Amino acid sequence: MESLAIAGFGKLGSAIARGAIDAGVMRAQDIVVWARSEARRAQARAWGLTLADWPDLAGRAPRLLLALKPQVFAGMTDPRPALAQDAVVISVMGGWSAIDIGRRLGTRRVIRAMPNVAASVGASVTALASDAQAAPEAMAFAQRLFAAVGKVVAMPESDFDTATAVGASGVGFACLFVEALEQAAQQAGMDAAAAREMAVGAISGAASCLRTGQVSPDELRRQVTSPAGTTAAGLQTLEDGQLAQLVQKAVDAARARASELGRTSA
Ligand SMILES: NC(=O)c1ccc[n+]([C@@H]2O[C@H](COP(=O)([O-])OP(=O)(O)OC[C@H]3O[C@@H](n4cnc5c(N)ncnc54)[C@H](OP(=O)(O)O)[C@@H]3O)[C@@H](O)[C@H]2O)c1
């Protein structure tokens, strides 16, 4: 029997498999995958993974990673697939609570995780539900699995809509900010390639400094803001435009949508 079954081998399922193999958390021969498209199946074969059909896959390993589109999960679990004995289910699906996943699969051992797209480059921040009804060994496995694609932050599942809004949708928000910086640079006459480099560099530079843990966002902002200087002038404009309040509204909207999707999924 394989150690990990992965249902759904799209962007996230494949990124987690790749990260786990590269980090030495899993061996390719211990992973079995269900993938819908031939292109994804070919990818899995090329990496040395085993392929299985759904619903057989569900019973193939003591750990089942659900990386399916949320909207196909209900259809794929009717009729209910048989899980391996004492199997633990780990889900990265948005919109499906542990309890609803468990109801559909007939188990209480469900762990929820919410990574982000940067899992594909080993730089995700993954929310991991700390209140899951799974054994400590299964939780430890989930920790290792997601640590292979970035950082892991344990939190109660009740925080997941917020984690989705800030950690996963937040990538989109950050990209909008980069696009706006780029556009402003081009507006001022800079060529597109240079504008992209400068805008991405500002954001990745800030992130790299913050990642050292030696400086907080507030401290770093103060460090680059001399009185009456250029940053101060720009920040004042952002404050006048109520950037913080706007971000609050964006997070609230994303949280509300996450909670709505949760209600319609079940
Ligand atoms: N991507 C992210 O940044 C991210 C972040 C946090 C959570 N998530 C969650 O992770 C899960 C997977 O996301 P993803 O980005 O990996 O999605 P994805 O690339 O679309 O892949 C999802 C899997 O579902 C299959 N699939 C797609 N549409 C289908 C359909 N209509 N019927 C049957 N199968 C279908 C895909 O098959 P093929 O590719 O083979 O066609 C693939 O195996 C989702 O529940 C999402 O909410 C994603």
Side-chain angles (χ1 to χ4, degrees):
M1 182 186 259
E2 290 84 359
S3 305
L4 178 67
I6 304 181
F9 202 62
K11 291 183 282 300
L12 206 50
S14 60
I16 294 168
R18 188 68 261 164
I21 295 165
D22 291 348
V25 172
M26 299 290 310
R27 299 182 311 170
Q29 62 264 40
D30 294 332
I31 302 178
V32 56
V33 162
W34 172 81
R36 181 180 63 151
S37 63
E38 182 44 39
R40 295 293 188 180
R41 285 198 289 273
Q43 173 82 90
R45 270 193 296 268
W47 290 356
L49 314 184
T50 305
L51 289 166
D53 289 330
W54 184 266
D56 294 347
L57 175 104
R60 287 280 291 257
R63 288 157 190 150
L64 171 64
L65 175 67
L66 295 175
L68 297 163
K69 283 275 179 215
Q71 55 273 33
V72 305
F73 180 63
M76 288 179 67
T77 47
D78 183 18
R80 178 188 287 175
L83 299 182
Q85 190 164 9
D86 298 330
V88 172
V89 176
I90 303 170
S91 171
V92 295
M93 291 189 303
W96 279 93
S97 67
I99 200 145
D100 288 329
I101 293 168
R103 274 197 198 114
R104 294 209 68 93
L105 291 173
T107 178
R108 285 167 57 92
R109 289 185 285 268
V110 180
I111 297 172
R112 275 192 78 195
M114 183 52 61
N116 71 28
V117 70
S120 58
V121 292
S124 173
V125 57
T126 300
L128 189 65
S130 54
D131 47 3
Q133 304 278 321
E137 311 85 76
M139 287 304 294
F141 171 77
Q143 281 271 358
R144 288 199 302 281
L145 189 65
F146 292 103
V149 291
K151 282 186 170 288
V152 178
V153 182
M155 64 184 72
E157 194 188 357
S158 54
D159 282 341
F160 263 48
D161 288 346
T162 307
T164 305
V166 175
S169 305
V171 175
F173 304 162
C175 287
L176 186 64
F177 194 75
V178 171
E179 287 174 69
L181 281 178
E182 251 183 89
Q183 252 173 34
Q186 288 187 64
Q187 197 67 37
M190 189 180 281
D191 79 57
R196 169 74 48 91
E197 282 295 347
M198 298 307 289
V200 172
I203 300 299
S204 66
S208 299
C209 291
L210 298 176
R211 272 278 169 239
T212 64
Q214 287 167 11
V215 64
S216 69
D218 170 62
E219 283 162 355
L220 185 59
R221 178 169 53 78
R222 286 175 201 279
Q223 282 174 21
V224 298
T225 311
S226 42
T230 57
T231 311
L235 284 175
Q236 188 59 56
T237 306
L238 291 175
E239 274 169 26
D240 292 347
Q242 303 205 306
L243 179 73
Q245 290 87 334
L246 200 57
V247 170
Q248 176 75 56
K249 282 188 193 163
V251 168
D252 289 348
R255 287 182 66 228
R257 185 68 187 131
S259 135
E260 219 171 78
L261 290 174
R263 283 197 300 276
T264 49
S265 295

